[in-house]
Amino acid sequence: MRDKAWEQSLYEHQHAMIKRLDIHRQKERSTSLSQDEVMAVEHTFQLLVASMLDLAIYVLQHHYDVSIERRDQVLDALIKHQDVTFEQGEQIKVLVELRQKILFDYLDENFDELASALSLRRYGLVEILTKEWTARLDNNE
């Protein structure tokens, strides 16, 4: 059974995270960030991508009756059900790979890659997909 309150709450949370990332992206490039600011941007990015994957799992379950147990299975399932375009799939792959680097290679400096992804505003795809997926669920009712 769908939980529209959760869907709305997730969308609002994603929107707030995107606004935070936009603020960072629009900052003067010559302004260096403190370690706390870097960690906050990385954490916001990680949460945003995780929320996209969790929503995709939710949509796959409620729209296609497909059970996905792990986030690393999401992209393949979305492609199999033609739920994303090729370009969207490639963008999701980049976002997920970057999230994985930040999450598991936390001793390495990955902020330059993240800053590059932020400058391209790749994370904006999350909001687009959220709207598309919830609309698909609405049409399924």
Side-chain angles (χ1 to χ4, degrees):
M1 177 168 232
R2 279 183 70 187
D3 184 349
K4 289 189 179 190
W6 178 82
E7 292 172 22
Q8 184 61 35
S9 179
L10 180 74
Y11 174 77
E12 290 169 4
H13 186 67
Q14 286 177 339
H15 189 72
M17 288 186 284
I18 288 170
K19 284 175 61 176
R20 277 186 231 131
L21 292 173
D22 280 345
I23 289 169
H24 165 72
R25 184 179 58 82
Q26 294 166 353
K27 277 187 179 178
E28 178 63 38
R29 293 285 172 232
S30 61
T31 306
S32 61
L33 299 177
S34 71
Q35 190 60 33
D36 287 344
E37 290 171 317
V38 167
M39 289 177 70
V41 170
E42 287 179 340
H43 186 66
T44 300
F45 179 79
Q46 288 176 31
L47 287 174
L48 182 62
V49 174
S51 73
M52 173 190 65
L53 295 173
D54 290 345
L55 179 62
I57 290 170
Y58 176 86
V59 169
L60 288 163
Q61 178 184 5
H62 289 87
H63 188 68
Y64 299 106
D65 199 27
V66 172
S67 180
I68 302 293
E69 296 187 20
R70 296 187 334 258
R71 288 178 178 156
D72 64 348
Q73 300 170 322
V74 169
L75 183 55
D76 289 339
L78 290 172
I79 291 169
K80 178 181 174 187
H81 292 283
Q82 300 177 339
D83 223 40
V84 293
T85 65
F86 176 80
E87 293 81 16
Q88 289 172 331
E90 290 298 306
Q91 287 183 351
I92 290 170
K93 184 177 177 181
V94 168
L95 293 173
V96 169
E97 287 174 352
L98 183 53
R99 178 184 179 271
Q100 293 298 96
K101 277 186 177 182
I102 293 168
L103 191 60
F104 295 110
D105 297 337
Y106 50 84
L107 295 178
D108 294 335
E109 291 294 323
N110 295 305
F111 196 74
D112 288 341
E113 286 182 63
L114 178 56
S116 174
L118 294 180
S119 70
L120 297 173
R121 203 175 186 277
R122 289 187 186 271
Y123 55 87
L125 174 67
V126 174
E127 194 165 31
I128 292 166
L129 290 175
T130 297
K131 288 178 181 177
E132 286 179 10
W133 291 339
T134 54
R136 188 164 296 129
L137 290 172
D138 289 339
N139 290 335
N140 203 32
E141 291 183 335

